[in-house]
Amino acid sequence: MGAKEQSIPKAKDRIEVLKKIEQLEKEGKFDIDVEDDPETIVLTPENIDYLRTTMTSKIKRIFANKVGEKFLDELLKNNKLIIKEINGIENLNKVKTGALLTCNHFNPYDCFTVEKVFRMSGQSKNKRLHKVIREGNYTNFPGFYGFLFRNADTLPLSSSNRTMVEFMKAADTLLQKGDFILIYPEQSMWWNYRKPKPLKIGAFKIASRNKVPVIPIFITMQDSEIIGQDGFPIQEYTVNIGKPIYPDSNLTEKENTNKMLEENSRVWKEIYEDFYKIPLEYTTMKTEEVQEKIKIG
């Protein structure tokens, strides 16, 4: 490591984010975002073409994906994104139907990581990977990233019930078609946070309703020797892909939803403890309510 890298001061905004994360974990508020994202503008049905049915949407999608692929290659080439190892890619290869891919959310680039693994698996020959994103990223994110958020096979959530009806219809259509949908069931993004957070139920409802599997992905990380522009070590990612979790035909939709969520939580916990060689423990006050929410008991 050179003297120049060693001398990069730690960015104040990253230090503040880490402090926020530490406090939110203590309070058990795992689903609150910590980044200063642009203000959310409500996404209405007339402002979204989820299935890219218009010619304009189709052209923008093709262009955005080409630009995004080039951007991803540059990230990897310049060690701004480091994928050290991939475990369990066969669990992605063998799924022939549509599927929900769940992943822990700790960096804006983790979706690029999943995208890279998706392409390496060979599934991109016959399927598309659609990424569920937050409403504000679609409606009000500026510049280059905003263009990708709006056009590169994204499925934005919305605070409008009318729009969410269209979102659900689109998700059902894409899964029945055989595509994959990447969703972050933790809901929030906590920068470089290594522990799995409590999971929201939405992804598992969609999978259960469509009778498709959930493929649990948990990315573990370790410091590289490269210091980023923010003064912190760039993380080396190990992508861990668990076995597909299929709904049980003997259970109701609600029962399958709960069972799949619990199994996903178990798989993530197991991967975390196996990689870091420590038990999964939180700084949260140990109330019965929080313990149930985290599902580690």
Side-chain angles (χ1 to χ4, degrees), residues 190-233:
W190 284 9
W191 184 70
N192 284 356
Y193 186 73
R194 297 187 172 187
K195 302 173 190 177
K197 290 178 283 178
L199 305 182
K200 300 293 185 179
I201 209 163
F204 307 95
K205 276 185 177 179
I206 295 171
S208 178
R209 183 174 69 246
N210 284 281
K211 297 179 174 58
V212 298
V214 167
I215 306 175
I217 300 173
F218 190 78
I219 300 173
T220 49
M221 63 193 94
Q222 57 196 109
D223 292 352
S224 74
E225 295 183 352
I226 304 170
I227 303 299
Q229 293 179 342
D230 57 16
F232 287 85

Side-chain angles (χ1 to χ4, degrees), residues 6 27 30 43 46 49 86-87 111 120 164 187 192 197 205 260 268 271 280 284 296:
Q6 289 179 328
E27 296 174 7
F30 292 93
L43 178 63
E46 58 271 16
D49 178 18
I86 301 169
N87 298 319
C111 66
M120 290 174 65
M164 284 306 295
Q187 188 168 298
N192 284 356
K197 290 178 283 178
K205 276 185 177 179
M260 294 167 88
W268 280 15
I271 292 169
L280 176 58
T284 312
I296 63 171

Side-chain angles (χ1 to χ4, degrees), residues 106-219:
F106 53 86
N107 191 288
Y109 291 165
D110 53 38
C111 66
F112 287 112
T113 304
V114 177
E115 182 81 45
K116 179 65 175 178
V117 172
F118 171 71
R119 291 178 187 164
M120 290 174 65
S121 74
Q123 290 281 23
S124 60
K125 293 176 183 177
N126 302 307
K127 301 177 183 293
R128 291 182 187 170
L129 176 64
H130 307 268
K131 285 79 68 176
V132 174
I133 62 172
R134 64 184 289 274
E135 183 174 38
N137 286 355
Y138 186 91
T139 59
N140 201 31
F141 212 94
F144 173 75
Y145 291 110
F147 175 75
L148 293 184
F149 282 142
R150 282 183 285 278
N151 298 291
D153 285 326
T154 53
L155 296 172
L157 298 167
S158 176
S159 50
S160 162
N161 289 333
R162 290 191 303 124
T163 310
M164 284 306 295
V165 169
E166 299 306 312
F167 171 92
M168 290 299 181
K169 288 179 183 175
D172 292 348
T173 299
L174 295 170
L175 290 172
Q176 293 303 318
K177 178 186 171 187
D179 283 350
F180 287 173
I181 297 177
L182 169 63
I183 193 166
Y184 297 106
E186 297 171 319
Q187 188 168 298
S188 60
M189 185 189 81
W190 284 9
W191 184 70
N192 284 356
Y193 186 73
R194 297 187 172 187
K195 302 173 190 177
K197 290 178 283 178
L199 305 182
K200 300 293 185 179
I201 209 163
F204 307 95
K205 276 185 177 179
I206 295 171
S208 178
R209 183 174 69 246
N210 284 281
K211 297 179 174 58
V212 298
V214 167
I215 306 175
I217 300 173
F218 190 78
I219 300 173

